[in-house]
Each structure stands twice: as structure tokens, then as C-alpha cells.
């Protein structure tokens, strides 16, 4: 039996065409700045400064900017520091958030509501930046990469999402495991977490993007340049125009044009890794977000 197609009216067809055109224009407007940065990073510096109008392809193919970026020792050190913060930080973030979410998701917990209210309070109010900095100083976490990991191990927002997801797991599975003699650690690691892979993938993405893009506290508490994460170095290059270490051997007249392509190349180098992670987590993202946002 052939399926019957609903015939759309002329107004509906016109509306659909308008939607496609409008959304396509929005997509192009959003993508062009990204495309411009990538194309400009592969352009010849002198030809790029002389170019006017839209830039749809490299203005004279050149990878000189990338050669100078990767020869900069601070870029390599920044990458290594950021990777250390990312790997260790995300691992501790997931562990601590899972432990907190599991505790708050259990039904028979004494003072559960007051504890949850206190946790939610920290989501909207804080002690301020100065007391926070003084705490880090008293705990000897300043000028240390651990100062960018330990104080940020639990996000209240992510904790609430993960707690809601854990609460959607049937209580009968937990009770069956308890009857078999399983403790809370066994229940968490062998039942709850394996059933929450989608939301855990979302947590990895949330925490990973947050760590990768963070620069404020790193610039506030890190004093040793060798400990700078990549984003602080990127900020120096973009905001303070600090590309002198990468323009050595370049004439004075060409330094400004070379600095422009170096900035674009640095942006690409700092952005591509986090963009490459998303496709691997994309299949879990929608499912995990819905599971963590809706209580069944």
C-alpha cells in the first residue's frame, strides 16, 4: 500500500522556501568569520594586507605563519600545560560530580533538601573573586596548575543535570543490586555509570570546553610564564599584540603584515583540537542532554 503524501498549499511551499533561504543566509553569516580566519591563516602576509572585500580563498598560498607559530616554544608549552589541565581536570571533574550526583539522587538521604538548597545557593551567589583568590593563596595553589584544577572540580549546573539523570534510572535495579550485597561503590561503577554513558559524554564535553576556553583565573594566579596555558598565550598574542618572538628575522616593514597572519594561525591552532572532539561525542549529545534535563 502506497503511503499518501499530504499536498501542501502554495502558502506553505512559499513559507518553506523562505525558511530555507533565510536559514541558509544565517548559516553563511555565522560560518564566514570562521572561514575567513582559516583562509587568512594560509594567505601570504603581504597580499593579505592589500586585499579588500570578501576573502573566499587564500590570498597567495603560504604556511609561513604556521611555521612561525610552531617554532614558538611558548605555544608548545601552552599546549602541554592545557592538555595536562584538560586530562587531569576532566577526569577529576567527572569523578567528583558523579559522586555528588549519586549521593543526591538517592531517595533515603537525611537532610537531602537542605543540602540541595545550599548547593543551589552557590550557583547564584559566591563569596567574590578577592576571597576566592585569598583562599587559593592560603592553600598554596597560586602559580600552580593545580590551582586551575582543584577549585573547579564540581560545577553546580553539571551536578544538577547529572543528578537528574541518575534519578531516572529505575530504583528496582538499585534495590536488586543491594539485595545481592552490592555496596554503593559497586552500584555506582557497575550500574549507574554504565547506564549513563550519554550524559557522561555531555559532561565531558561541557567540562572540556570550559577548561579549554578558560583564561581569566590562569592569568590571575599564574606568574611563571612556563606554566601559562594555551589560552593565556593566545590572549597575549591577540590583545597585547605580542608576536615579537615569532617575527624575528622579518623586516620592520613586513612585521605588521606577518603579525596578522600569525594571529589567525594561532587562533586556528588553538581552536581545532576542541572542534575535533565534538564529532566523537555528537551521537551522545542530544540524548544525554534530554536525559539530564527531563526527569521521567
Amino acid at each position: 500500500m502506497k503511503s499518501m503524501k499530504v499536498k501542501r498549499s502554495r502558502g506553505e511551499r512559499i513559507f518553506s522556501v523562505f525558511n530555507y533561504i533565510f536559514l541558509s543566509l544565517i548559516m553563511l553569516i555565522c560560518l564566514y568569520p570562521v572561514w575567513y580566519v582559516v583562509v587568512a591563516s594560509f594567505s601570504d602576509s603581504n597580499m593579505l594586507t592589500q586585499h579588500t572585500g570578501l576573502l573566499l580563498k587564500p590570498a597567495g598560498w603560504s604556511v609561513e605563519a604556521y611555521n612561525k607559530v610552531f617554532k614558538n616554544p611558548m605555544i608548545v608549552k601552552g599546549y602541554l600545560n592545557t592538555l595536562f589541565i584538560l586530562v587531569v581536570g576532566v577526569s577529576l571533574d567527572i569523578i567528583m560530580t558523579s559522586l555528588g550526583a549519586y549521593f543526591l539522587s538517592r531517595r533515603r538521604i537525611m537532610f537531602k533538601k537542605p543540602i540541595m538548597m545550599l548547593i543551589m545557593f552557590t550557583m547564584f551567589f559566591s563569596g567574590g573573586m578577592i576571597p576566592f583568590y585569598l583562599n587559593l593563596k592560603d592553600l598554596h595553589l597560586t602559580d600552580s596548575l593545580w590551582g586551575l584544577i582543584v577549585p573547579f572540580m564540581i560545577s553546580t549546573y553539571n551536578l544538577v543535570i547529572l543528578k537528574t539523570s541518575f534519578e531516572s534510572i529505575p530504583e528496582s535495579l538499585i534495590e536488586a543490586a543491594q539485595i545481592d550485597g552490592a555496596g554503593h561503590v559497586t552500584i555506582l561503577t557497575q550500574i549507574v555509570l554504565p547506564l549513563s554513558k550519554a550524559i557522561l559524554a555531555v559532561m565531558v564535553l561541557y567540562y572540556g570546553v570550559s577548561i579549554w576556553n578558560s583564561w581569566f583565573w590562569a592569568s590571575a594566579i599564574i606568574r611563571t610564564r612556563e606554566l601559562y596555558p594555551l589560552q593565556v598565550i593566545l590572549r597575549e598574542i591577540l590583545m597585547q599584540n605580542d608576536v615579537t618572538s615569532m617575527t624575528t628575522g622579518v623586516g620592520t616593514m613586513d612585521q605588521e603584515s606577518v603579525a596578522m597572519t600569525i594571529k589567525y594561525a594561532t587562533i586556528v591552532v588553538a581552536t581545532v583540537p576542541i572542534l575535533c572532539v565534538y564529532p566523537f561525542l555528537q551521537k551522545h549529545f542530544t540524548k544525554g542532554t534530554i536525559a539530564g534535563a527531563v526527569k521521567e
Side-chain angles (χ1 to χ4, degrees), residues 188-240:
L188 175 62
T189 56
Q190 298 188 14
I191 297 178
V192 176
L193 293 182
L195 293 175
S196 306
K197 291 180 180 179
I199 189 64
L200 289 177
V202 175
M203 292 295 101
V204 169
L205 185 63
Y206 282 175
Y207 278 122
V209 171
S210 176
I211 291 174
W212 188 269
N213 292 332
S214 62
W215 62 269
F216 176 78
W217 282 111
S219 63
I221 69 174
I222 301 296
R223 293 291 177 264
T224 306
R225 286 187 59 84
E226 285 71 18
L227 297 178
Y228 278 178
L230 181 63
Q231 298 304 326
V232 176
I233 299 171
L234 177 61
R235 181 176 180 273
E236 282 187 349
I237 293 174
L238 297 180
M239 302 298 292
Q240 302 176 15

Side-chain angles (χ1 to χ4, degrees), residues 144-178:
S144 170
L145 294 181
W146 289 104
L148 303 175
I149 298 174
V150 176
F152 307 98
M153 284 195 295
I154 297 181
S155 166
T156 305
Y157 178 77
N158 293 341
L159 178 66
V160 173
I161 292 178
L162 198 59
K163 165 187 169 293
T164 307
S165 177
F166 286 175
E167 287 177 341
S168 66
I169 296 176
E171 191 66 21
S172 57
L173 293 177
I174 309 297
E175 293 175 351
Q178 290 174 338

Side-chain angles (χ1 to χ4, degrees), residues 79 82-83 86 212 230-231 266-280:
Y79 249 111
T82 299
L83 288 176
L86 183 68
W212 188 269
L230 181 63
Q231 298 304 326
T266 306
I267 294 173
V268 174
V269 169
T271 307
V272 166
I274 199 67
L275 292 178
C276 294
V277 174
Y278 182 75
F280 297 99

Side-chain angles (χ1 to χ4, degrees), residues 35-52:
W35 178 254
Y36 180 90
V37 171
V38 174
V39 170
S41 67
F42 287 102
S43 299
D44 180 82
S45 57
N46 294 321
M47 295 182 66
L48 181 63
T49 55
Q50 299 173 5
H51 181 81
T52 58

